[in-house]
Amino acid sequence: MCLRYHHPAMARRYDASEIEPKWVKVWEDEGLYQASEDPDDPRPRFYALDMFPYPSGDLHMGHMEAFSGGDVIARYRWMRGDDVLHPIGWDAFGLPAENAAIKRGARPMEWTYANIEQQAASFRRMGMSFDWTRRLNTCDPEYYRWTQWLFLRFFERGLAYRKESPVNWCPNDQTVLANEQVIQGACERCGSIVERRDLTQWFFRITDYAQRLLDDADTLEDWPERVLTMQRNWIGRSEGAEVTFTVDETGEEITIFTTRPDTLWGVTFFVFAVEHPAVQRLAELGGTWDDVRPLVERARQTSLVDREAAASKEGVALGVHAVNPVNGERVPCFVAPYVLMEYGTGAIMAVPAHDQRDFEFAREHGLPVRVVIEPPTGPVDPDAMTEALPHDGVMVNSGPFDGEPSPTSIAKVTAWLEAEGRGRAAVNFRLRDWLLSRQRYWGAPIPIVHCPRCGEVAVPDDQLPVELPKDADFRLGGESPLARHPTWKHVACPSCGGEAVRDTDTMDTFVDSSWYFFRYCSPGFEDGPFRPEDVARWMPVGQYTGGVEHAILHLLYSRFFTKVLHDMGMVPFVEPFPKLMNQGQVIYDGAAMSKSKGNIVEPMPLVERWGADSMRLTMLFAGPFEDDIDWKLIAGEPDRRPGVHAWLGRVFTAVQDAGERGDAPEPDALVRLTHKTVRDVTDDLDRYRFNVAISKLMVLTNEIRSTLDAGGGAAVAGRTLTQLLAPFAPFTSEELWREVLGEGASVHTSTWPTFDPSLTTENTVTMVIQVDGKVRDKVEVAADIDEAAALDIARASERATAAVGDRRVAKEIVRAPKLVNLVTAR
RNA sequence: GCCGGGGUGGUGGAACUGGCAGACACGAUGGACUCAAAAUCCAUUGCGCUCACGCGCGUGCGGGUUCGAAUCCCGCCCCCGGCACCA
């Protein structure tokens, strides 16, 4: 029986370990994937960008998934005739290198480069179509020279500045963190509870770009909805008004921000954040400092956002009063942790009738509640209220605005405040400036010299890079490694030549990764971070692929950098990544892979055992690219042969046998299926539906195998299958293309197959005959029959007639040749 | 609580604008080959009733629109992700 399929003398069995390493070398020798340097190259350009890896060890499953998807896209674009830029590099600075060095005694640099080489070797083994000539590492002085250069441009424009402020301090990593790196009050890296410290630190003025970051998000062509939502939430724009109250006892003006100026007449008290600079002075004046002081001191010791305290409704009266500018009322002032110094102005007007937090505070402290927005259900007794009232209603107890309905009340009150000079429309953002300095060793040094006479002085461009000392003592404790180095920081002031010291902080690694995609366009460029013409030629990126964990941090920062570079006239666009794709996570048995759970599956041993092609296909076929993959469910034990490996084996024999059979003189069913498959796989690839595309290739494989006896069309089907397979299984397809089909050049530089639309439809189709919408019969009909013929066939159907029974057919819906629905009278 | 995404067989998932639900796989069961196993090949596989032809039910739940709904509308439930005293 098997002889039907096999020609024992000819058939070669599929053996990944025999074919894969061979092609790695051939492709590299042939320089297959190098992007053109020629500005006049007529081909369309496509920049396929993958989020560059952090070299923490060998590649893990997450890398496999992400880079497999990115590689399919790059290879597909090559075959479609594009000039493709598909680079690779390493995000090589960062804490883990330093921590590993502390633990094992190796230098951060050695640890980092060893890991990079291991990952590079694994990428090669995977057959990734990278342009290795453009490779970069952010920890190379050649690279961080330009990170520093960019910092100085930001510094010149006032976008990099130093200030003292309360900051997030990770006691474990011994460094400050950006707001974005604090998750639920804990360090994003190590999970330690973050402490609050008052320190002088460097910031990027990203808040200047808040509105543009928000507005331009709407112009992005194709980003996952959840990522856009996260960015919008993070930026956190709210519209409202600023209103200035006056402290009755001192006459000083205190401005507050509110989104509900229409509730100004309902203010019954006023609250300061614990950290507000006026608190101590006002408490001393009001004679309440002894009561207030414990709150203030506790806040200094706990984390920046003390959630527990904020959640409580504790608070202390200050003994002073605020005067409401809209009605001259005098209300008591409090200090309470539920008001945050970080948002708005650090002081609020309290309207207990219409704000739940104010309501709870009022009840706790026996303060009056005054309803100023009457709900549609009628008057409300403030004493009977159990929660704050919703927003809808009509203004009452509000002087000139009584009777004003809620949809227009905010705008009217705001306009009135401006006209009266008592307040103004205002917008508030949740976004804070980006704290970029770190008290650690393994990062790009901040290129600033502190001079007792000249202040903060930029290191001149021609003295960049400010290199890291190789002999640092980077162990934890005490001062940071650069600060404690005996000689490194001592330097002459570039301005006056006097004795000065370098800034001893390094930059957050997110600074490095905010511009690496520009550098890929001009590797080795000596006169700037990139050559503007190269960036204009390649960018914006055609497709950006990477993990959703960067939804806020990396993607927001990169967008910010791009806008600044745009304002500097260095890039012609404002968004670097119009199209973003997030791969799903690879989990195991319902849980994230982790050392502590002991459920980590190492990919490279599986690649050695079953092949890189099987590894890629297993992931890409498992489901939509953006969905999580549970490795236990789709692959099970490492010894279990992957289903896709068996399929590749069948492809291997099918293409061999098909080649033997030659082509039919007339296009037959197999040829038609081949054309249809080209159409469908092309469409699926354009929409990144890899799992569906692969299933279509499986169908074609099955069809080739089951029709081999019938002859005809097999050769073109086998050849086309080989090409369509190329983006997904680069090794297997190459082996078939060159060794079995005898083509001279690589399948990966072959032209993507086209299809003849007249051959993508069948001669006959299955027509469905329904009665009242239920399927009652199916009939094979000619694909080109008209409505009348379709109806005749439906009427002739015995099954349909039986289903109609003795009822009258009142209406016939005909969608020839697909469907006829006989509708009976009711 | 607010925002975003989702809920389809035993499992992963298909079903382009409303038109044959379950493609393609995995798993399972039976069979062929084998001393045996692996590999390979063949068959069956949504649930229920039926010897069978068939019939009924079926895309989280309840309604609605339509000749016809996984798909559109209304109201719920549940799961995942993000944000959260943000004034």
Side-chain angles (χ1 to χ4, degrees), chain A residues 52-61 63 90-98 100 104 111-119 189 442 595 602:
Chain A
F52 65 166
Y54 180 80
S56 53
D58 202 352
L59 299 179
H60 53 66
M61 280 292 181
H63 293 125
W90 277 270
D91 186 15
F93 270 139
L95 272 180
E98 214 169 324
R104 281 168 238 158
W111 182 89
T112 302
Y113 283 111
N115 284 338
I116 288 174
E117 287 316 313
Q118 185 174 26
Q119 292 193 349
R189 286 221 82 84
W442 193 231
K595 264 188 205 153
E602 294 289 347

Side-chain angles (χ1 to χ4, degrees), chain A residues 14 61 77 118 126-127 133-134 154 219 278 406 462 471 493 502 553 579 589 596 608 611 669 768 780 792 794:
Chain A
Y14 174 62
M61 280 292 181
R77 299 310 319 183
Q118 185 174 26
M126 284 297 292
T133 65
R134 291 169 185 260
F154 279 53
T219 71
S406 54
D462 60 12
D471 55 347
C493 170
R502 290 191 187 284
L553 292 151
K579 296 181 74 165
D589 200 14
S596 58
E608 290 310 319
V768 172
E780 281 294 309
D792 286 343

Side-chain angles (χ1 to χ4, degrees), chain A residues 177 180-183 186-192 194 510 549 553:
Chain A
L177 301 169
E180 288 80 357
Q181 290 164 323
V182 180
I183 310 295
C187 172
E188 175 216 30
R189 286 221 82 84
C190 68
S192 310
V194 167
F510 282 102
E549 65 273 19
L553 292 151

Side-chain angles (χ1 to χ4, degrees), chain A residues 20 61 64-65 68 126 601-607 610-620 631 642 644 648:
Chain A
E20 293 189 346
M61 280 292 181
M64 293 291 145
E65 166 79 357
S68 294
M126 284 297 292
V601 179
E602 294 289 347
M604 291 318 290
L606 291 172
V607 168
W610 301 109
D613 282 354
S614 287
M615 177 55 103
R616 291 168 180 247
L617 282 168
T618 298
M619 304 197 126
L620 295 171
W631 193 258
V644 291
L648 285 175

Side-chain angles (χ1 to χ4, degrees), chain A residues 178-417:
Chain A
N179 268 10
E180 288 80 357
Q181 290 164 323
V182 180
I183 310 295
Q184 310 256 314
C187 172
E188 175 216 30
R189 286 221 82 84
C190 68
S192 310
I193 296 299
V194 167
E195 294 171 5
R196 171 211 157 99
R197 296 225 175 155
D198 291 301
L199 293 171
T200 301
Q201 296 291 323
W202 285 97
F203 292 84
F204 279 144
R205 215 178 286 281
I206 192 172
T207 51
D208 274 9
Y209 285 75
Q211 190 63 53
R212 286 168 67 184
L213 288 165
L214 197 61
D215 291 344
D216 293 346
D218 296 335
T219 71
L220 295 167
E221 200 180 317
D222 184 22
W223 273 39
E225 206 49 51
R226 60 174 169 162
V227 176
L228 287 171
T229 303
M230 281 193 241
Q231 293 228 342
R232 291 191 185 112
N233 286 348
W234 190 261
I235 296 166
R237 182 182 199 270
S238 40
E239 277 180 36
E242 281 180 3
V243 183
T244 304
F245 283 62
T246 309
V247 177
D248 195 33
E249 286 77 0
T250 66
E252 72 191 283
E253 295 187 330
I254 307 281
T255 298
I256 57 95
F257 174 77
T258 177
T259 54
R260 297 295 308 282
D262 58 333
T263 62
L264 265 163
W265 285 264
V267 173
T268 55
F269 57 101
F270 192 94
V271 191
F272 287 91
V274 178
E275 303 92 335
H276 196 286
V279 161
Q280 182 168 355
R281 188 162 33 81
L282 294 176
E284 282 167 354
L285 184 74
T288 58
W289 178 237
D290 287 347
D291 300 330
V292 172
R293 186 185 205 150
L295 270 185
V296 173
E297 286 183 349
R298 198 185 63 203
R300 280 201 186 125
Q301 286 159 13
T302 54
S303 72
L304 201 54
V305 179
D306 184 351
R307 280 162 204 286
E308 235 167 273
S312 78
K313 284 294 166 288
E314 65 176 324
V316 180
L318 275 172
V320 296
H321 298 80
V323 177
N324 187 337
V326 301
N327 56 11
E329 277 186 12
R330 197 169 169 272
V331 297
C333 291
F334 289 79
V335 55
Y338 88 88
V339 174
L340 308 175
M341 193 62 217
E342 293 74 40
Y343 188 79
T345 62
I348 62 157
M349 67 180 206
V351 185
H354 304 288
D355 180 283
Q356 185 61 24
R357 298 152 299 175
D358 297 346
F359 179 81
E360 288 167 22
F361 191 85
R363 284 289 190 257
E364 179 82 24
H365 298 273
L367 294 159
V369 174
R370 185 197 298 156
V371 174
V372 292
I373 306 287
E374 189 174 289
T377 49
V380 175
D381 173 11
D383 296 334
M385 283 170 61
T386 54
E387 58 182 4
L389 295 171
H391 288 186
D392 293 334
V394 172
M395 291 177 72
V396 293
N397 297 322
S398 296
F401 288 94
D402 283 355
E404 188 66 38
S406 54
T408 51
S409 56
I410 293 177
K412 288 211 173 169
V413 172
T414 305
W416 178 82
L417 285 169

